[in-house]
């Protein structure tokens, strides 16, 4: 691991011809990865839980055996097993009990001998950490569906929840989009309590033989004991009355759940376009007796299968796909790189993005903002009920840059206008933006026992708010605009004492600080302003000796006490460089050293390699490895550095 750089050394900026060569090689490599219709999509990898759950889903449904696919998933799972015997939540991470139990169960289901060394090590680690009973709520549900764990160990969420009025303190509209789509089919499963078909009869009773008792804990931040005690008491009451609900009311609630799911199936893209919700919808249809060839069940099952990535020797299941995000960011990188071919293909990417704008569906976000017209983009190919502000801001900025810099004409004017209108309409009261909803700040809900993952909500975050500020500023909004004033105040309030900003959707403070610096620069904040200087100084202070930057997913720990040195990687180095350049530091020695790190680590194919997980799913619970990040972000950073050096200006003219 590299150590923090703390002493200036002699260093000269890379010559422009060297930068040109690096940019050209990376651009050419990136263009080769473009799909025939103009878009880009890269693999999106999570931890062991998703491929493990996919294996278990197939056996839950009792589907015909696919031994070759199982062999490949087994090979993938054994490869990513940690030195501690279990499975982490990210590459090189610490043992995680829930991920390990699921991976062990899946491998046993595939046919791995439980006395094989890797299985014995995993079992020993599981039992040392309290056994299967110490897992999180969603793992205990998975076990209960197999008859491998009691339903009584799972907090009760009555299906009648879906019928409650919106003013009720516990209501689906008060939860995040991902919680809604995951929970609704689970409500039905909790009522039906089905048992997996499990043709091989595999169980994991041996994982309940722990000699230590470990009570599952919550990963939520700022839980309040009074709320926790109250919700735990409520759970006792709900369990006591579980069999007393009127049959007519229960049937009506189940019908509402089915209606909710079918309205949001998204065709082959699935419920919410995220694996857990999609898999739950398939199990819900099965539990309700839907035949395999029923259109709703069949399309839901097909959506899950489309997430599987199969290679020559391994296979795994993605949590979702990211084509809009990947395409929009790649377009930015190519426009920064310049050149006739890169710019032409960037426009093709924008043409692919344009019809994906959601203009005719008022999604769940309209619960809070009923008077706002649709106008956003989703993360996936199709997820009309759940566009997000982050993707929308990035797409709009790319389109605006294309129409002004590439003379793409007025073809994007209406799309930009509707995107801007939607973003403005979803600003939260505190000045920030959440990803999918406005004012999703019902923090007491994270005290619900069912929400031990601590990610039930979608409150405003700095990284998303910064992207929205960047977009509005690039479109001409100034700091004295009321929306901008509130947003900039929000960003300033959220800055940490050391000068950094928390990054919700990317790891972590490097990501948040890059995002905020871009926004402040776009909004016209003086680079010498204290807010900017503190952020710049923090980024410079954590640079590694090799010139790069790195930050571990453990920075999301609830007891975080400040930055801990971590090995450099391509995407986080690029974020730090883009942030420093947005802060007016193009000529800073740290920037030259960072660019040199990227030049030296560029692979023979023109791109960059990276194993580190630098994407955020849910802090402390779920992380992502975006395979596209080391492909387009380093190109973007090197090209920007070259452009600013060639123009002899320190000023970044764009929102990102």
């Amino acid at each position: 691991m590299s150590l923090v750089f703390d002493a200036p050394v002699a260093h000269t900026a890379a010559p422009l011809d060297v930068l040109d060569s690096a940019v050209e090689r990376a651009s050419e490599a990136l263009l080769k990865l473009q799909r025939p219709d103009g878009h880009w999509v890269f693999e999106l990898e999570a931890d062991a839980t998703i491929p493990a759950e996919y294996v278990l889903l197939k056996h839950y449904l009792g589907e015909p055996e696919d031994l070759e696919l199982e062999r490949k998933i087994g090979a993938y799972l054994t490869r990513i097993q940690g030195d501690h015997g279990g499975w982490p939540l990210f590459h090189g991470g610490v043992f995680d009990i829930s991920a390990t139990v699921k991976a062990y169960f899946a491998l046993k289901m595939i046919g791995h001998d439980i006395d094989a060394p890797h299985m014995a090590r995993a079992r020993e680690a599981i039992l040392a950490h309290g056994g299967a009973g110490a897992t999180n709520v969603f793992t205990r549900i998975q076990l209960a569906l197999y008859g491998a764990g009691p339903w009584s160990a799972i907090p009760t969420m009555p299906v009648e929840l879906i019928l409650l009025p919106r003013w009720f303190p516990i209501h689906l509209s008060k939860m995040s989009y991902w919680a809604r789509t995951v929970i609704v089919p689970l409500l039905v499963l909790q009522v039906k309590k089905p048992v997996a078909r499990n043709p091989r009869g595999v169980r994991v009773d041996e994982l309940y033989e722990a000699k230590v008792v470990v009570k599952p804990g919550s990963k939520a931040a700022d839980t309040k004991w009074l709320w926790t005690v109250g919700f735990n008491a409520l759970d006792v009451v709900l369990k006591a009355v579980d069999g007393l609900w009127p049959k007519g009311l229960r049937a009506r609630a189940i019908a509402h759940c089915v209606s909710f799911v079918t309205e949001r199936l998204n065709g082959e893209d699935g419920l919410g376009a995220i694996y857990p919700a999609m898999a739950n919808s398939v199990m819900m249809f099965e539990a309700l007796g839907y035949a395999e060839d029923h259109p709703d069940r069949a399309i839901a099952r097909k959506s899950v299968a489309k997430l599987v990535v199969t290679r020559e020797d391994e296979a795994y299941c993605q949590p979702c796909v990211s084509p809009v995000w990947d395409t929009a960011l790649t377009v930015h990188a190519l426009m920064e790189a310049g050149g006739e071919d890169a710019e032409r293909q960037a426009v093709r990417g924008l043409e692919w993005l344009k019809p994906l704008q959601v203009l005719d569906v008022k999604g769940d976000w309209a619960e809070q903002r009923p008077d706002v017209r649709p106008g956003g983009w989703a993360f996936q190919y199709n997820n009309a009920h759940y566009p997000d502000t982050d993707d929308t801001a990035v797409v709009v900025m790319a389109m605006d840059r294309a129409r002004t810099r590439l003379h793409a004409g007025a073809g994007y004017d209406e799309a930009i206008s509707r995107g801007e209108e939607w973003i403005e309409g979803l600003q939260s009261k505190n000045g920030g933006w959440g990803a999918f909803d406005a004012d999703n700040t019902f923090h007491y809900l994270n005290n619900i026992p069912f929400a031990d993952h601590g990610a039930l909500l979608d409150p405003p975050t700095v990284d998303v708010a910064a992207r929205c500020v960047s977009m509005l500023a690039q479109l001409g909004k100034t700091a004295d605009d009321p929306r901008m004033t509130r947003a900039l105040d929000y960003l300033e309030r959220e800055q940490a004492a050391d000068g950094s900003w928390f990054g919700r959707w990317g790891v972590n403070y490097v990501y948040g600080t890059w995002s905020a610096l871009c926004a402040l620069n776009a909004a016209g904040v003086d680079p010498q302003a204290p807010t900017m200087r503190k952020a710049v100084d923090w980024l410079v202070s954590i640079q590694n000796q090799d010139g790069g930057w790195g930050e571990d997913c453990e920075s999301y720990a609830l007891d975080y006490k400040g930055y801990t040195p971590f090995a450099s990687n391509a995407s986080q180095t690029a974020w730090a460089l883009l942030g420093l350049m947005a802060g007016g530091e193009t000529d800073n020695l740290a920037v030259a050293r960072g660019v040199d790190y990227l030049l030296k680590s560029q692979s023979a194919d023109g791109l960059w390699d990276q194993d580190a997980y630098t994407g955020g799913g849910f802090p402390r619970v779920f992380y992502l490895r975006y395979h596209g990040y080391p492909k387009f972000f380093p190109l973007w950073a090197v090209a920007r550095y070259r452009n600013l050096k060639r123009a002899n200006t320190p000023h970044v003219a764009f929102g990102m």
Side-chain angles (χ1 to χ4, degrees):
M1 182 180 295
S2 301
L3 299 177
V4 175
F5 172 75
D6 58 7
V9 296
H11 197 93
T12 57
L16 289 175
D17 61 334
V18 173
L19 297 170
D20 284 335
S21 177
V23 168
E24 184 176 355
R25 289 172 55 219
S27 295
E28 290 177 354
L30 203 48
L31 291 176
K32 290 177 183 176
L33 300 175
Q34 188 174 24
R35 300 298 176 99
D37 61 3
H39 84 285
W40 286 264
V41 62
F42 302 102
E43 290 179 34
L44 185 59
E45 187 177 359
D47 54 62
T49 59
I50 303 298
E53 286 182 22
Y54 184 73
V55 171
L56 296 174
L57 174 66
K58 288 178 65 63
H59 288 269
Y60 174 91
L61 299 171
E63 294 179 344
E65 291 184 336
D66 187 341
L67 298 180
E68 179 62 10
L69 177 61
E70 288 189 7
R71 183 192 68 78
K72 290 184 175 183
I73 293 177
Y76 171 83
L77 290 174
T78 53
R79 178 177 63 80
I80 64 172
Q81 186 175 13
D83 293 338
H84 40 58
W87 279 262
L89 296 178
F90 53 89
H91 180 75
V94 299
F95 173 89
D96 183 80
I97 182 70
S98 297
T100 303
V101 166
K102 287 181 181 178
Y104 178 94
F105 196 174
L107 288 172
K108 186 177 180 180
M109 184 68 73
I110 289 168
H112 287 218
D113 187 337
I114 64 169
D115 292 323
H118 68 287
M119 295 291 281
R121 287 171 53 232
R123 184 171 59 256
E124 182 180 350
I126 290 169
L127 295 176
H129 287 81
T135 56
N136 62 23
V137 166
F138 288 116
T139 304
R140 279 177 273 150
I141 291 173
Q142 189 87 57
L143 294 168
L145 288 169
Y146 271 83
W151 284 100
S152 60
I154 299 161
T156 299
M157 292 275 278
V159 69
E160 289 78 10
L161 174 68
I162 200 165
L163 301 177
L164 291 172
R166 207 167 158 270
W167 53 261
F168 199 79
I170 305 174
H171 192 271
L172 287 169
S173 69
K174 292 180 168 65
M175 302 176 189
S176 63
Y177 120 72
W178 54 85
R180 268 172 250 145
T181 54
V182 169
I183 287 173
V184 170
L186 274 183
L187 296 177
V188 178
L189 291 173
Q190 276 201 302
V191 169
K192 295 294 184 180
K193 294 181 173 56
V195 178
R197 295 184 182 181
N198 193 6
R200 297 176 187 169
V202 176
R203 308 237 323 185
V204 286
D205 295 346
E206 67 272 21
L207 300 185
Y208 287 93
E209 298 172 357
K211 294 181 174 59
V212 296
V213 177
V214 178
K215 185 178 180 181
S218 174
K219 299 292 183 69
D222 300 322
T223 53
K224 303 293 187 292
W225 71 269
L226 188 59
W227 281 109
T228 300
V229 169
F231 280 125
N232 282 327
L234 177 61
D235 185 57
V236 173
V237 173
L238 290 172
K239 280 182 166 53
V241 303
D242 190 44
L244 304 178
W245 295 91
K247 291 182 178 179
L249 183 67
R250 179 138 285 186
R252 187 157 64 93
I254 291 174
H256 270 262
C257 288
V258 173
S259 177
F260 177 96
V261 170
T262 54
E263 181 184 343
R264 294 162 176 79
L265 276 179
N266 288 319
E268 294 183 3
D269 294 288
L271 175 62
I274 51 175
Y275 176 87
M278 293 154 67
N280 289 347
S281 72
V282 177
M283 290 189 285
M284 181 197 77
F285 287 131
E286 197 274 343
L288 293 172
Y290 284 53
E292 287 184 32
D293 60 355
H294 185 284
D296 291 337
R297 175 174 167 174
I299 200 73
R301 180 63 184 88
K302 187 173 183 179
S303 71
V304 177
K306 290 178 66 178
L307 294 176
V308 176
V309 173
T310 304
R311 302 194 183 108
E312 184 176 351
D313 298 315
E314 292 185 347
Y316 74 96
C317 186
Q318 301 173 101
C320 63
V321 290
S322 53
V324 171
W325 187 242
D326 290 339
T327 300
L329 291 169
T330 299
V331 165
H332 276 280
L334 290 174
M335 286 193 291
E336 193 72 47
E340 184 178 341
D341 198 23
E343 292 177 347
R344 181 172 60 251
Q345 299 310 320
V347 171
R348 286 189 66 225
L350 292 176
E351 289 301 313
W352 180 83
L353 286 167
K354 186 177 176 182
L356 295 185
Q357 188 175 25
V358 181
L359 298 171
D360 56 351
V361 176
K362 279 204 167 188
D364 290 6
W365 53 267
E367 290 274 354
Q368 284 284 358
R369 295 290 188 270
D371 298 326
V372 175
R373 289 197 300 171
W377 276 265
F379 184 74
Q380 305 91 345
Y381 286 105
N382 180 30
N383 197 10
H385 280 79
Y386 305 108
D388 69 274
T389 55
D390 212 357
D391 277 272
T392 301
V394 172
V395 172
V396 167
M397 281 189 278
M399 288 182 167
D400 176 67
R401 184 169 180 178
R403 71 177 175 179
T404 56
R405 301 284 170 164
L406 303 185
H407 309 295
Y412 302 128
D413 288 354
E414 179 62 19
I416 290 170
S417 177
R418 287 293 294 272
E420 179 183 17
E421 179 184 338
W422 187 72
I423 290 286
E424 288 183 336
L426 262 69
Q427 187 175 22
S428 291
K429 294 173 183 175
N430 68 357
W433 278 265
F436 298 90
D437 289 290
D439 294 314
N440 193 247
T441 53
F442 305 93
H443 294 288
Y444 60 86
L445 291 177
N446 273 332
N447 295 273
I448 293 177
F450 197 89
D452 62 350
H453 58 313
L456 202 67
L457 305 176
D458 178 25
T461 60
V462 165
D463 45 352
V464 176
R467 212 86 66 226
C468 295
V469 169
S470 289
M471 184 207 76
L472 292 173
Q474 185 173 309
L475 295 179
K477 290 286 193 300
T478 59
D480 56 3
D481 178 273
R483 289 188 185 279
M484 291 286 282
T485 300
R486 290 167 50 219
L488 292 170
D489 286 346
Y490 167 79
L491 293 179
E492 187 169 349
R493 290 196 308 272
E494 292 295 312
Q495 188 174 26
D498 63 7
S500 66
W501 280 273
F502 179 85
R504 163 65 177 84
W505 295 100
V507 182
N508 172 351
Y509 293 91
V510 172
Y511 185 86
T513 304
W514 157 60
S515 303
L517 281 169
C518 287
L520 296 175
N521 169 70
V525 175
D526 187 340
Q528 299 306 313
T531 306
M532 297 275 270
R533 297 321 310 159
K534 286 172 62 181
V536 164
D537 290 345
W538 181 79
L539 282 174
V540 172
S541 74
I542 66 165
Q543 187 175 26
N544 288 329
Q545 285 185 348
D546 60 11
W549 280 263
E551 185 179 4
D552 190 28
C553 296
E554 291 296 339
S555 62
Y556 287 104
L558 291 174
D559 61 350
Y560 176 76
K561 296 179 174 62
Y563 175 81
T564 299
F566 189 70
S568 301
N569 62 71
S571 63
Q572 289 176 325
T573 297
W575 296 338
L577 289 171
L578 290 167
L580 287 171
M581 287 185 278
E585 296 295 313
T586 302
D587 294 328
N588 193 310
L589 173 63
V591 174
R593 297 182 64 246
V595 170
D596 189 54
Y597 168 83
L598 291 180
L599 294 177
K600 289 179 178 177
S601 59
Q602 189 174 18
S603 299
D605 65 0
L607 299 174
W608 287 262
D609 298 319
Q610 178 178 308
D611 290 328
Y613 278 50
T614 58
F618 307 132
R620 299 172 294 282
V621 177
F622 191 69
Y623 302 101
L624 298 167
R625 179 188 175 194
Y626 285 86
H627 286 227
Y629 278 12
K631 294 177 172 63
F632 46 70
F633 277 121
L635 166 61
W636 193 344
V638 173
R640 173 153 295 170
Y641 178 73
R642 176 204 62 183
N643 295 343
L644 293 176
K645 280 293 189 180
R646 178 162 281 145
N648 195 28
T649 176
H651 178 64
V652 175
F654 310 104
M656 290 182 73

